[in-house]
Amino acid sequence: MKYLTLVAALAFSASAMAVNCTDCHETINVEEHTEMEATIATCNDCHDMASAHELDKEVHTPDLTIKECADCHE
């Protein structure tokens, strides 16, 4: 039982970590997107990110900027 709890805790902590976007996607020009004042809402407008990714709505609000995204994700 003790080991099962440990494995569950490790699995949860791994799922809660930030994902590197560059594992699947090419890097974006953060400066260019910052100048355009891009947010998660505008990502969905131009790139239809919402159809491929399910984001945690508590952390990823529509007004979250690309610069703030880059703080956690590559």
Side-chain angles (χ1 to χ4, degrees):
M1 188 66 163
K2 180 176 162 181
Y3 294 109
L4 182 59
T5 304
L6 178 63
V7 169
L10 288 173
F12 174 76
S13 66
S15 68
M17 291 176 58
V19 174
N20 289 332
C21 302
T22 55
D23 290 346
C24 300
H25 304 283
E26 291 184 29
T27 58
I28 64 164
N29 185 331
V30 176
E31 289 179 22
E32 177 184 327
H33 284 79
T34 300
E35 287 174 13
M36 292 186 292
E37 298 179 2
T39 63
I40 287 183
T42 55
C43 289
N44 290 331
D45 291 344
C46 295
H47 303 288
D48 192 26
M49 190 175 75
S51 68
H53 299 284
E54 187 174 325
L55 303 176
D56 178 359
K57 302 285 187 213
E58 288 183 27
V59 176
H60 301 92
T61 59
D63 62 337
L64 191 70
T65 66
I66 291 299
K67 183 126 178 73
E68 293 169 322
C69 292
D71 290 342
C72 296
H73 305 280
E74 283 184 21

